[in-house]
Protein backbone atom coordinates (compact mmCIF):
# COMPACT_ATOMS: atom_id res chain seq x y z
CA UNK A 1 0.00 0.00 0.00
CA UNK A 2 1.24 3.51 -0.82
CA UNK A 3 2.71 5.29 2.27
CA UNK A 4 0.20 8.11 2.36
CA UNK A 5 -2.70 5.65 2.16
CA UNK A 6 -1.22 3.44 4.87
CA UNK A 7 -0.96 6.37 7.30
CA UNK A 8 -4.72 6.95 6.92
CA UNK A 9 -5.65 3.47 8.15
CA UNK A 10 -5.67 2.57 11.86
CA UNK A 11 -7.14 -0.35 13.76
CA UNK A 12 -8.48 -0.50 17.33
CA UNK A 13 -9.98 -3.24 19.47
CA UNK A 14 -13.26 -2.18 21.07
CA UNK A 15 -13.44 -3.43 24.66
CA UNK A 16 -16.74 -5.01 25.64
CA UNK A 17 -18.46 -3.04 28.40
CA UNK A 18 -21.43 -5.41 28.58
CA UNK A 19 -21.07 -9.16 29.14
CA UNK A 20 -20.60 -11.06 25.88
CA UNK A 21 -20.15 -14.80 25.64
CA UNK A 22 -17.33 -16.38 23.68
CA UNK A 23 -17.76 -19.28 21.26
CA UNK A 24 -17.09 -21.88 23.97
CA UNK A 25 -19.80 -20.42 26.24
CA UNK A 26 -22.25 -20.02 23.35
CA UNK A 27 -21.68 -23.59 22.18
CA UNK A 28 -22.06 -24.88 25.70
CA UNK A 29 -25.33 -22.96 26.18
CA UNK A 30 -26.71 -23.54 22.68
CA UNK A 31 -25.59 -26.87 21.29
CA UNK A 32 -25.74 -29.45 24.03
CA UNK A 33 -29.49 -29.51 24.62
CA UNK A 34 -32.50 -28.85 22.38
CA UNK A 35 -33.68 -26.33 21.25
CA UNK A 36 -30.23 -25.91 19.74
CA UNK A 37 -28.97 -22.55 18.45
CA UNK A 38 -25.78 -20.57 17.77
CA UNK A 39 -25.55 -16.75 17.46
CA UNK A 40 -25.08 -15.56 13.85
CA UNK A 41 -21.83 -13.67 14.54
CA UNK A 42 -19.93 -16.97 14.13
CA UNK A 43 -20.79 -17.08 10.43
CA UNK A 44 -18.35 -14.30 9.75
CA UNK A 45 -14.87 -15.76 9.65
CA UNK A 46 -12.93 -14.80 6.52
CA UNK A 47 -14.63 -17.42 4.35
CA UNK A 48 -18.08 -16.70 5.80
CA UNK A 49 -17.66 -13.00 5.07
CA UNK A 50 -16.71 -13.83 1.48
CA UNK A 51 -19.74 -16.11 1.20
CA UNK A 52 -22.03 -13.35 2.52
CA UNK A 53 -20.61 -11.12 -0.18
CA UNK A 54 -21.42 -13.81 -2.76
CA UNK A 55 -24.99 -14.04 -1.40
CA UNK A 56 -25.39 -10.32 -2.14
CA UNK A 57 -24.64 -11.10 -5.81
CA UNK A 58 -27.27 -13.82 -6.16
CA UNK A 59 -30.34 -13.14 -8.30
CA UNK A 60 -32.70 -13.95 -5.44
CA UNK A 61 -31.14 -11.88 -2.62
CA UNK A 62 -32.84 -8.51 -3.17
CA UNK A 63 -31.94 -6.60 0.08
CA UNK A 64 -28.44 -5.47 -0.96
CA UNK A 65 -29.36 -4.15 -4.37
CA UNK A 66 -32.61 -2.62 -3.10
CA UNK A 67 -30.85 -0.77 -0.29
CA UNK A 68 -28.03 0.24 -2.60
CA UNK A 69 -30.50 1.80 -5.05
CA UNK A 70 -32.03 3.78 -2.16
CA UNK A 71 -28.61 4.95 -0.99
CA UNK A 72 -27.71 6.04 -4.50
CA UNK A 73 -30.71 8.36 -4.46
CA UNK A 74 -30.54 9.67 -0.88
CA UNK A 75 -26.78 9.83 -0.10
CA UNK A 76 -26.37 13.43 -1.21
CA UNK A 77 -29.38 14.67 0.80
CA UNK A 78 -28.17 12.89 3.91
CA UNK A 79 -24.62 14.21 3.67
CA UNK A 80 -25.86 17.73 2.98
CA UNK A 81 -28.29 17.56 5.90
CA UNK A 82 -25.86 16.11 8.45
CA UNK A 83 -22.42 17.21 7.22
CA UNK A 84 -20.85 14.47 9.38
CA UNK A 85 -17.31 14.72 10.70
CA UNK A 86 -17.45 10.97 11.34
CA UNK A 87 -19.29 8.04 9.79
CA UNK A 88 -19.46 5.09 12.20
CA UNK A 89 -20.78 1.86 10.69
CA UNK A 90 -21.88 -1.17 12.70
CA UNK A 91 -21.37 -4.53 10.95
CA UNK A 92 -19.66 -2.80 8.04
CA UNK A 93 -18.58 -5.89 6.04
CA UNK A 94 -17.05 -4.80 2.71
CA UNK A 95 -18.57 -1.30 3.08
CA UNK A 96 -19.60 -1.60 -0.52
CA UNK A 97 -22.79 0.46 -0.17
CA UNK A 98 -21.12 3.02 2.10
CA UNK A 99 -19.15 4.21 -0.92
CA UNK A 100 -22.26 6.12 -2.05
CA UNK A 101 -21.95 8.25 1.08
CA UNK A 102 -18.21 8.80 0.52
CA UNK A 103 -18.95 9.79 -3.10
CA UNK A 104 -21.54 12.27 -1.80
CA UNK A 105 -18.93 13.66 0.64
CA UNK A 106 -16.54 13.99 -2.27
CA UNK A 107 -19.07 15.98 -4.28
CA UNK A 108 -20.02 18.17 -1.32
CA UNK A 109 -16.36 18.87 -0.53
CA UNK A 110 -16.80 17.29 2.92
CA UNK A 111 -14.02 15.28 4.51
CA UNK A 112 -15.14 12.74 7.04
CA UNK A 113 -13.43 9.96 8.92
CA UNK A 114 -14.83 6.47 8.69
CA UNK A 115 -15.09 4.07 11.64
CA UNK A 116 -16.12 0.60 10.39
CA UNK A 117 -17.00 -1.63 13.37
CA UNK A 118 -17.03 -5.37 12.70
CA UNK A 119 -16.28 -8.71 14.28
CA UNK A 120 -14.33 -9.88 11.20
CA UNK A 121 -10.80 -8.48 11.42
CA UNK A 122 -9.71 -9.74 7.98
CA UNK A 123 -12.66 -8.03 6.31
CA UNK A 124 -11.90 -4.77 8.14
CA UNK A 125 -8.27 -4.90 7.01
CA UNK A 126 -9.08 -5.64 3.36
CA UNK A 127 -11.92 -3.15 3.03
CA UNK A 128 -9.96 -0.48 4.95
CA UNK A 129 -6.98 -0.84 2.60
CA UNK A 130 -9.21 -0.54 -0.46
CA UNK A 131 -11.01 2.51 0.90
CA UNK A 132 -7.91 4.56 1.76
CA UNK A 133 -6.59 3.84 -1.73
CA UNK A 134 -9.90 4.77 -3.42
CA UNK A 135 -10.52 7.98 -1.43
CA UNK A 136 -7.34 9.98 -0.97
CA UNK A 137 -8.90 12.23 1.70
CA UNK A 138 -10.46 9.44 3.80
CA UNK A 139 -9.18 8.50 7.27
CA UNK A 140 -10.29 4.95 8.18
CA UNK A 141 -10.23 3.87 11.83
CA UNK A 142 -11.19 0.20 11.89
CA UNK A 143 -12.92 -0.99 15.05
CA UNK A 144 -12.65 -4.70 15.82
CA UNK A 145 -15.16 -6.12 18.25
CA UNK A 146 -18.62 -7.36 19.08
CA UNK A 147 -21.33 -4.70 18.99
CA UNK A 148 -23.34 -6.66 21.54
CA UNK A 149 -20.58 -5.71 24.01
CA UNK A 150 -21.95 -2.17 24.03
CA UNK A 151 -20.83 1.09 22.46
CA UNK A 152 -19.43 2.91 25.50
CA UNK A 153 -15.97 1.51 24.65
CA UNK A 154 -15.82 3.27 21.25
CA UNK A 155 -12.88 5.69 20.94
CA UNK A 156 -13.90 9.33 21.54
CA UNK A 157 -14.82 11.43 18.51
CA UNK A 158 -15.14 15.22 18.27
CA UNK A 159 -17.87 16.59 16.04
CA UNK A 160 -20.98 15.38 14.31
CA UNK A 161 -21.53 11.64 13.73
CA UNK A 162 -23.57 9.72 11.23
CA UNK A 163 -24.13 6.16 12.50
CA UNK A 164 -24.93 3.46 9.95
CA UNK A 165 -26.52 0.10 10.48
CA UNK A 166 -27.25 -1.21 7.02
CA UNK A 167 -28.28 -4.37 5.23
CA UNK A 168 -31.16 -5.31 7.51
CA UNK A 169 -28.71 -6.69 10.10
CA UNK A 170 -30.97 -5.32 12.86
CA UNK A 171 -33.27 -8.18 11.76
CA UNK A 172 -30.65 -10.70 12.91
CA UNK A 173 -31.22 -9.45 16.48
CA UNK A 174 -33.97 -10.74 18.74
CA UNK A 175 -36.49 -8.08 19.81
CA UNK A 176 -34.65 -7.69 23.11
CA UNK A 177 -31.23 -7.40 21.46
CA UNK A 178 -32.54 -4.81 18.99
CA UNK A 179 -34.05 -2.70 21.78
CA UNK A 180 -30.87 -2.91 23.87
CA UNK A 181 -28.67 -2.06 20.88
CA UNK A 182 -30.75 0.97 19.86
CA UNK A 183 -30.67 2.18 23.48
CA UNK A 184 -26.87 1.99 23.27
CA UNK A 185 -26.84 3.91 19.99
CA UNK A 186 -29.17 6.57 21.42
CA UNK A 187 -26.93 6.91 24.48
CA UNK A 188 -23.87 7.83 22.38
CA UNK A 189 -25.77 10.19 20.05
CA UNK A 190 -25.61 13.94 20.51
CA UNK A 191 -27.92 16.59 19.07
CA UNK A 192 -27.34 16.81 15.31
CA UNK A 193 -26.11 13.21 14.98
CA UNK A 194 -28.05 10.77 12.81
CA UNK A 195 -28.63 7.03 12.55
CA UNK A 196 -29.19 5.60 9.07
CA UNK A 197 -30.83 2.22 9.57
CA UNK A 198 -31.67 -0.34 6.89
CA UNK A 199 -34.46 -2.80 7.68
CA UNK A 200 -36.01 -5.50 5.55
CA UNK A 201 -39.79 -5.45 5.21
CA UNK A 202 -42.52 -8.06 5.46
CA UNK A 203 -43.44 -9.24 1.98
CA UNK A 204 -44.63 -12.18 -0.10
CA UNK A 205 -43.38 -15.41 1.50
CA UNK A 206 -42.24 -16.77 -1.88
CA UNK A 207 -39.88 -13.82 -2.43
CA UNK A 208 -38.46 -14.24 1.08
CA UNK A 209 -38.08 -17.99 0.72
CA UNK A 210 -36.19 -17.63 -2.57
CA UNK A 211 -33.85 -14.99 -1.09
CA UNK A 212 -32.68 -17.43 1.60
CA UNK A 213 -32.70 -20.55 -0.59
CA UNK A 214 -30.88 -19.32 -3.70
CA UNK A 215 -30.67 -21.83 -6.53
CA UNK A 216 -26.88 -21.70 -6.75
CA UNK A 217 -26.60 -22.85 -3.12
CA UNK A 218 -24.45 -19.96 -1.84
CA UNK A 219 -26.65 -19.39 1.22
CA UNK A 220 -26.42 -23.11 1.97
CA UNK A 221 -22.60 -22.91 1.86
CA UNK A 222 -22.70 -19.81 4.09
CA UNK A 223 -24.83 -21.67 6.65
CA UNK A 224 -22.77 -24.88 6.49
CA UNK A 225 -19.52 -22.90 6.91
CA UNK A 226 -20.52 -22.46 10.55
CA UNK A 227 -19.63 -26.13 11.06
CA UNK A 228 -16.07 -25.46 9.83
CA UNK A 229 -15.84 -22.57 12.31
CA UNK A 230 -16.95 -24.87 15.13
CA UNK A 231 -14.49 -27.57 14.04
CA UNK A 232 -11.61 -25.11 13.96
CA UNK A 233 -12.42 -23.06 17.06
CA UNK A 234 -13.72 -25.83 19.29
CA UNK A 235 -11.87 -28.87 18.04
CA UNK A 236 -15.25 -30.30 16.97
CA UNK A 237 -15.91 -33.11 14.51
CA UNK A 238 -18.90 -31.90 12.48
CA UNK A 239 -19.08 -33.44 9.02
CA UNK A 240 -20.90 -31.01 6.74
CA UNK A 241 -22.28 -33.71 4.41
CA UNK A 242 -24.28 -34.94 7.41
CA UNK A 243 -26.19 -31.62 7.57
CA UNK A 244 -28.39 -29.66 5.21
CA UNK A 245 -29.33 -26.00 4.98
CA UNK A 246 -32.96 -25.06 5.60
CA UNK A 247 -34.47 -21.56 5.63
CA UNK A 248 -38.18 -20.97 6.13
CA UNK A 249 -40.41 -17.98 6.70
CA UNK A 250 -42.20 -18.08 10.06
CA UNK A 251 -45.10 -15.75 9.24
CA UNK A 252 -46.36 -15.59 12.81
CA UNK A 253 -43.00 -14.36 14.11
CA UNK A 254 -42.41 -12.39 10.88
CA UNK A 255 -38.94 -13.83 10.51
CA UNK A 256 -36.83 -16.06 8.31
CA UNK A 257 -35.38 -18.87 10.39
CA UNK A 258 -32.25 -20.56 9.16
CA UNK A 259 -31.35 -24.03 10.39
CA UNK A 260 -28.71 -26.71 9.95
CA UNK A 261 -30.66 -29.97 9.84
CA UNK A 262 -29.10 -33.30 10.74
CA UNK A 263 -29.46 -35.75 7.81
CA UNK A 264 -29.05 -38.81 10.02
CA UNK A 265 -28.81 -40.00 13.59
CA UNK A 266 -25.28 -38.99 14.61
CA UNK A 267 -22.89 -38.30 17.47
CA UNK A 268 -20.57 -35.30 17.16
CA UNK A 269 -17.69 -34.81 19.56
CA UNK A 270 -16.78 -31.25 20.59
CA UNK A 271 -13.24 -31.47 21.94
CA UNK A 272 -13.10 -28.08 23.67
CA UNK A 273 -16.29 -28.90 25.59
CA UNK A 274 -15.32 -32.50 26.15
CA UNK A 275 -18.90 -33.37 25.23
CA UNK A 276 -20.60 -35.36 22.49
CA UNK A 277 -23.81 -34.13 20.83
CA UNK A 278 -26.40 -36.76 20.11
CA UNK A 279 -28.50 -35.65 17.14
CA UNK A 280 -31.56 -37.42 15.77
CA UNK A 281 -32.25 -37.62 12.05
CA UNK A 282 -34.03 -34.33 11.19
CA UNK A 283 -32.98 -32.50 14.36
CA UNK A 284 -32.30 -28.81 13.83
CA UNK A 285 -29.79 -26.19 15.00
CA UNK A 286 -31.11 -22.63 14.66
CA UNK A 287 -28.29 -20.55 13.18
CA UNK A 288 -30.00 -17.25 12.35
CA UNK A 289 -33.23 -15.31 12.49
CA UNK A 290 -33.83 -12.50 10.02
CA UNK A 291 -36.77 -10.41 11.14
CA UNK A 292 -38.92 -8.58 8.64
CA UNK A 293 -40.55 -5.30 9.68
CA UNK A 294 -43.66 -3.30 8.96
CA UNK A 295 -43.16 0.49 8.90
CA UNK A 296 -45.18 0.75 12.15
CA UNK A 297 -43.06 -1.89 13.89
CA UNK A 298 -39.86 -0.19 12.80
CA UNK A 299 -41.10 3.18 14.00
CA UNK A 300 -42.07 1.87 17.43
CA UNK A 301 -38.71 0.09 17.80
CA UNK A 302 -36.92 3.40 17.19
CA UNK A 303 -39.33 5.49 19.27
CA UNK A 304 -38.96 3.11 22.22
CA UNK A 305 -35.23 3.92 22.18
CA UNK A 306 -35.91 7.68 22.12
CA UNK A 307 -35.18 7.99 18.40
CA UNK A 308 -37.50 9.72 15.93
CA UNK A 309 -37.64 9.02 12.20
CA UNK A 310 -36.63 12.11 10.23
CA UNK A 311 -36.62 10.62 6.72
CA UNK A 312 -37.97 7.32 5.40
CA UNK A 313 -36.75 6.07 2.02
CA UNK A 314 -38.39 3.03 0.42
CA UNK A 315 -38.75 1.61 -3.09
CA UNK A 316 -42.16 1.58 -4.87
CA UNK A 317 -42.65 -2.10 -3.99
CA UNK A 318 -42.01 -1.39 -0.28
CA UNK A 319 -39.48 -4.22 -0.01
CA UNK A 320 -36.94 -2.40 2.17
CA UNK A 321 -36.77 0.63 4.46
CA UNK A 322 -33.88 3.00 4.90
CA UNK A 323 -34.63 5.42 7.70
CA UNK A 324 -32.71 8.38 9.03
CA UNK A 325 -33.44 8.80 12.72
CA UNK A 326 -32.22 11.19 15.36
CA UNK A 327 -32.63 11.88 19.05
CA UNK A 328 -36.31 12.70 19.72
CA UNK A 329 -37.09 16.40 19.44
CA UNK A 330 -34.79 16.89 16.39
CA UNK A 331 -35.88 18.15 12.93
CA UNK A 332 -38.50 16.16 10.95
CA UNK A 333 -38.73 16.47 7.17
CA UNK A 334 -40.84 14.54 4.65
CA UNK A 335 -39.37 12.66 1.68
N1 LIG B 1 -23.44 -4.00 6.43
C1 LIG B 1 -23.04 -4.91 5.37
C2 LIG B 1 -22.71 -6.32 5.89
C3 LIG B 1 -23.89 -7.07 6.48
S1 LIG B 1 -23.42 -8.71 6.95
C4 LIG B 1 -24.12 -4.96 4.33
O1 LIG B 1 -25.15 -4.32 4.51
O2 LIG B 1 -23.93 -5.64 3.32
C5 LIG B 1 -23.34 -8.52 8.70
C6 LIG B 1 -22.01 -7.92 9.14
O3 LIG B 1 -22.05 -7.77 10.56
C7 LIG B 1 -20.81 -8.79 8.83
O4 LIG B 1 -19.78 -8.01 8.27
C8 LIG B 1 -20.41 -9.38 10.19
O5 LIG B 1 -19.03 -9.66 10.29
C9 LIG B 1 -20.85 -8.30 11.14
N2 LIG B 1 -21.24 -8.80 12.46
C10 LIG B 1 -22.05 -9.85 12.74
N3 LIG B 1 -22.20 -9.99 14.08
C11 LIG B 1 -21.45 -9.00 14.64
C12 LIG B 1 -21.20 -8.62 16.00
N4 LIG B 1 -21.77 -9.29 17.01
N5 LIG B 1 -20.40 -7.54 16.22
C13 LIG B 1 -19.82 -6.88 15.19
N6 LIG B 1 -20.03 -7.19 13.88
C14 LIG B 1 -20.83 -8.24 13.62
C1 LIG C 1 -26.56 -9.84 7.40
N1 LIG C 1 -27.98 -10.18 7.34
C2 LIG C 1 -28.80 -8.95 7.22
C3 LIG C 1 -28.34 -11.18 6.34
C4 LIG C 1 -29.87 -11.41 6.36
O1 LIG C 1 -30.46 -11.31 5.29
O2 LIG C 1 -30.43 -11.65 7.43
C5 LIG C 1 -27.61 -12.49 6.58
C6 LIG C 1 -28.03 -13.55 5.63
N2 LIG C 1 -28.34 -14.77 5.97
C7 LIG C 1 -28.66 -15.47 4.91
N3 LIG C 1 -28.60 -14.67 3.85
C8 LIG C 1 -28.17 -13.48 4.28
Amino acid sequence: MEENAESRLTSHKVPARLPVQDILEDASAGLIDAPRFMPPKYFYDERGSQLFDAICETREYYPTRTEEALLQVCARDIIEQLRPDHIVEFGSGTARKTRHLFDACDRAGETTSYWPFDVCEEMLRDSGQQLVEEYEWLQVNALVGDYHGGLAGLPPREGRCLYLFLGGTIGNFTGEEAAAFLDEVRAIMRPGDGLLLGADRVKDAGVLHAAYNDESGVTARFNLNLLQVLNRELDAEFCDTNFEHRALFNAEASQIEMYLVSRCRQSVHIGALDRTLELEDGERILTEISRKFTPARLESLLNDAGLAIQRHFEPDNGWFSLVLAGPEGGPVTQS
Side-chain angles (χ1 to χ4, degrees):
M1 207 189 346
E2 183 217 319
E3 200 185 317
N4 167 284
E6 202 169 350
S7 68
R8 287 181 286 106
L9 178 59
T10 67
S11 179
H12 314 256
K13 294 244 189 266
V14 179
R17 294 286 167 85
L18 302 172
V20 277
Q21 298 196 327
D22 62 19
I23 190 165
L24 191 69
E25 292 163 326
D26 278 324
S28 169
L31 290 182
I32 303 299
D33 299 309
R36 302 181 207 268
F37 64 95
M38 278 302 281
K41 69 178 172 194
Y42 300 116
F43 282 137
Y44 299 96
D45 67 343
E46 190 167 12
R47 179 171 146 75
S49 296
Q50 286 162 358
L51 284 167
F52 175 73
D53 220 26
I55 290 175
C56 297
E57 301 290 335
T58 62
R59 179 177 51 80
E60 298 92 337
Y61 192 73
Y62 62 83
T64 306
R65 70 181 70 94
T66 308
E67 188 181 42
E68 182 154 17
L70 293 174
L71 267 168
Q72 223 155 6
V73 171
C74 72
R76 185 177 166 173
D77 269 16
I78 288 170
I79 293 302
E80 286 180 356
Q81 180 182 328
L82 269 105
R83 302 210 166 266
D85 298 295
H86 307 281
I87 295 180
V88 181
E89 178 164 12
F90 308 117
S92 47
T94 58
R96 130 188 179 166
K97 289 168 288 186
T98 319
R99 286 169 167 75
H100 294 291
L101 292 163
F102 300 142
D103 291 341
C105 288
D106 234 355
R107 273 183 237 114
E110 291 284 325
T111 50
T112 186
S113 51
Y114 178 50
W115 305 75
F117 183 2
D118 207 285
V119 79
C120 182
E121 195 163 359
E122 296 86 353
M123 182 58 89
L124 281 168
R125 188 197 53 223
D126 294 351
S127 65
Q129 285 178 354
Q130 280 177 22
L131 287 169
V132 289
E133 276 167 20
E134 272 172 53
Y135 298 91
E136 59 188 25
W137 48 268
L138 189 66
Q139 171 71 37
V140 178
N141 302 315
L143 302 170
V144 189
D146 182 339
Y147 44 51
H148 291 299
L151 304 179
L154 289 179
R157 300 159 308 281
E158 287 285 320
R160 221 194 272 252
C161 291
L162 170 60
Y163 295 97
L164 307 178
F165 197 25
L166 301 179
T169 306
I170 189 82
N172 300 134
F173 289 21
T174 63
E176 265 178 30
E177 286 170 342
F181 179 73
L182 291 175
D183 282 346
E184 286 277 317
V185 175
R186 172 66 189 88
I188 58 168
M189 284 178 90
R190 288 170 300 219
D193 288 350
L195 166 67
L196 190 62
L197 176 71
D200 199 11
R201 295 265 292 270
V202 176
K203 60 184 63 65
D204 175 71
V207 173
L208 288 168
H209 185 269
Y212 292 83
N213 292 280
D214 61 285
E215 247 175 30
S216 52
V218 186
T219 310
R221 291 204 287 284
F222 173 72
N223 196 8
L224 287 159
N225 180 56
L226 176 66
L227 300 176
Q228 300 311 316
V229 173
L230 293 170
N231 286 351
R232 186 181 64 235
E233 301 294 325
L234 296 179
D235 187 24
E237 290 169 5
F238 288 97
C239 173
D240 58 9
T241 52
N242 285 343
F243 290 85
E244 68 187 26
H245 160 75
R246 188 169 302 160
L248 50 89
F249 182 55
N250 176 340
E252 206 178 318
S254 198
Q255 64 191 23
I256 287 282
E257 293 169 2
M258 214 156 80
Y259 295 95
L260 287 168
V261 184
S262 175
R263 300 168 83 120
C264 55
R265 188 168 192 188
Q266 55 178 315
S267 306
V268 182
H269 187 65
I270 303 185
L273 287 179
D274 199 17
R275 298 286 296 266
T276 299
L277 296 192
E278 301 296 343
L279 291 164
E280 295 298 324
D281 188 4
E283 241 199 289
R284 313 185 295 187
I285 302 171
L286 177 66
T287 53
E288 183 182 67
I289 58 165
S290 190
R291 296 198 302 143
K292 309 302 167 190
F293 295 87
T294 60
R297 184 73 204 89
L298 189 57
E299 184 163 21
S300 67
L301 184 66
L302 287 159
N303 291 169
D304 289 349
L307 293 163
I309 295 182
Q310 298 170 348
R311 312 281 301 267
H312 189 162
F313 304 93
E314 57 182 344
D316 291 343
N317 62 12
W319 278 10
F320 199 89
S321 281
L322 192 58
V323 296
L324 180 67
E328 259 165 5
V332 177
T333 46
Q334 295 297 321
S335 54

